[in-house]
Amino acid sequence: MIMERALLLMMMVLTAAATKKELVTATNKLPYNMVIGTANYAGTPTRSVHVVNLNSKEQLIEEPPAVQVGPNPSWLCSNKAKTVIIAALETTNNEVGGLASMVVINGRPQGVNFVPWPSGETYGPTHCEQDPTGNFVVAANYAQGSAAVFPIMKTGELRDATQHVEFGSQSNAHCVAFSPDGEFVYIVDLGLDIVHAFKWDDGKMTELPKASFKLPAKAGPRHMVFNDGFAFLVTETSNQLLVLQPQKDGSFKKLDEVSTLPPGFKGIAFVAEVKVGGNKVFVSNRGENSIAIFSYDKAGSLKALQWEKRHINTPRGMGLSPDAQYLIAASQTQDTLVAFHVSENGTTTLAGDPIKITRAPVCVEFL
């Protein structure tokens, strides 16, 4: 009888373990395809984006050939269906900057067309985001301190800008962020230390000066994203992460603010990007060279979890898989990508070995 009970208990344990393994496998969304934007700001610009696969063995593998799109495709934004990708061509030489469109066919982007920045000058946009309908893209131009609206055709083709907003000679417009409901669009201005608020009406921006969010002088707001009813904003020069609560009039109420740097850090650092998923916030710290990971609760309060530094150097860009289980860090100065598996409690484990990208990966867009 004792032996029978022992065997029965062993069978129950093995069955439970097998069931748990099946559940884990069922939630694994691998493989994932992603497109990598590149940019070289000192010398000859890059001209291509790269297709990379995170396979079922958690290995990053580049799938050549690279796709030629234009000078310094430093930021990529896709529509909700992941069928159209827009690249911001952040030129730094005598070439005219603008946007390039691509359509995704069988998991690979194919170039469609290019449209120049409205002023026709050099120094192209640094950031862009498609509106919730996918019918328009708004881009921010850091060097020229302006933003512009471009229509997107059903074929993925871009049309010339229909609106161009200039913020003045001290502006460095760095990021575009749409509210999830599509009622508002925001331009994050690093130079003026403000998040400009606009009413969005089917391709037209109307500024809402009273709703704009002002920051302390030289904070340098750089990047903002929405998730779970909050807006998450990072500042490049003061290295802060802010949690904001959107208001009905398009303004924001600050809920929490923390440093993105580990305690005791004394060096020079500049925040680059913020990603949010699975009630965790990921911030890339250049100079200090880490991905800072925070959790947040229903009240918008932040808690530091860890600073991931393995195989990371100048992490200008990063990507978070749709299920928030995989983080990809792009090291601009060592030309590598590295993948991490992210647990529910925010701890990270390396997923395979880093891989080389031809030159200067700065953006990761999951398909």
Side-chain angles (χ1 to χ4, degrees):
M1 178 67 91
I2 295 175
M3 182 66 70
E4 290 177 355
R5 287 180 178 178
L7 289 173
L8 179 60
L9 179 61
M10 183 179 295
M11 290 177 64
M12 290 173 66
V13 171
L14 291 173
T15 301
T19 302
K20 183 177 180 181
K21 184 176 181 181
E22 289 173 2
L23 289 172
V24 171
T25 303
T27 60
N28 194 324
K29 304 292 182 64
L30 297 176
Y32 278 118
N33 270 9
M34 63 200 82
V35 183
I36 311 301
T38 62
N40 180 32
Y41 298 100
T44 304
T46 63
R47 309 193 74 87
S48 60
V49 298
H50 302 256
V51 179
V52 172
N53 178 265
L54 180 62
N55 66 20
S56 58
K57 296 181 180 180
E58 296 189 333
Q59 296 172 327
L60 288 171
I61 299 176
E62 183 174 359
E63 299 183 350
V67 181
Q68 301 297 311
V69 292
N72 279 355
S74 65
W75 185 264
L76 308 172
C77 66
S78 58
N79 59 359
K80 288 184 177 180
K82 302 292 184 179
T83 56
V84 177
I85 300 175
I86 308 298
L89 304 182
E90 195 178 1
T91 49
T92 57
N93 53 13
N94 292 324
E95 295 184 78
V96 174
L99 299 177
S101 68
M102 296 170 277
V103 293
V104 179
I105 300 175
N106 296 326
R108 289 191 62 86
Q110 299 183 13
V112 177
N113 77 318
F114 163 82
V115 292
W117 194 252
S119 61
E121 299 176 10
T122 57
Y123 293 101
T126 189
H127 193 274
C128 60
E129 184 168 337
Q130 297 188 42
D131 81 322
T133 69
N135 294 328
F136 298 92
V137 60
V138 178
N141 194 310
Y142 178 90
Q144 297 187 30
S146 62
V149 180
F150 300 81
I152 306 172
M153 302 295 100
K154 291 183 178 180
T155 59
E157 184 178 357
L158 285 164
R159 292 285 189 253
D160 288 336
T162 54
Q163 186 177 4
H164 185 212
V165 180
E166 297 181 294
F167 302 112
S169 61
Q170 300 302 309
S171 169
N172 294 125
H174 209 304
C175 171
V176 179
F178 278 93
S179 61
D181 59 11
E183 288 192 23
F184 303 99
V185 61
Y186 301 91
I187 309 298
V188 180
D189 195 323
L190 188 151
L192 295 178
D193 295 306
I194 193 170
V195 179
H196 303 282
F198 292 84
K199 181 70 175 177
W200 178 254
D201 185 15
D202 196 27
K204 182 179 180 181
M205 300 193 307
T206 302
E207 191 163 9
L208 303 171
K210 293 183 179 180
S212 295
F213 184 78
K214 297 181 180 180
L215 291 99
K218 298 183 180 180
R222 178 183 172 98
H223 195 218
M224 185 171 78
V225 296
F226 286 86
N227 200 68
D228 284 344
F230 302 116
F232 298 85
L233 174 68
V234 289
T235 60
E236 177 174 333
T237 48
S238 64
N239 298 295
Q240 296 292 111
L241 167 63
L242 290 77
V243 182
L244 308 177
Q245 184 179 61
Q247 306 297 298
K248 291 182 179 180
D249 64 353
S251 64
F252 293 107
K253 175 185 177 181
K254 186 174 77 171
L255 299 178
D256 201 1
E257 181 176 359
V258 298
S259 173
T260 68
L261 300 173
F265 178 77
K266 302 296 184 182
I268 297 174
F270 301 97
V271 163
E273 190 178 351
V274 58
K275 296 285 189 184
V276 185
N279 84 296
K280 288 177 282 294
V281 188
F282 304 81
V283 181
S284 57
N285 291 314
R286 295 168 296 173
E288 191 269 332
N289 293 329
S290 73
I291 305 296
I293 306 175
F294 303 84
S295 64
Y296 62 94
D297 61 22
K298 293 181 180 179
S301 297
L302 293 161
K303 178 184 178 181
L305 300 178
Q306 69 156 319
W307 282 262
E308 175 58 72
K309 296 179 69 71
R310 287 172 290 180
H311 303 293
I312 293 174
N313 193 350
T314 318
R316 184 182 179 91
M318 58 181 171
L320 187 65
S321 63
D323 60 8
Q325 292 186 21
Y326 294 94
L327 174 72
I328 312 298
S331 292
Q332 179 183 359
T333 53
Q334 65 184 23
D335 303 330
T336 59
L337 298 177
V338 61
F340 299 93
H341 183 269
V342 184
S343 69
E344 289 187 6
N345 64 10
T347 59
T348 49
T349 54
L350 283 168
D353 297 321
I355 66 167
K356 281 280 187 180
I357 295 295
T358 304
R359 187 168 49 159
V362 296
C363 179
V364 180
E365 181 71 5
F366 273 85
L367 296 180

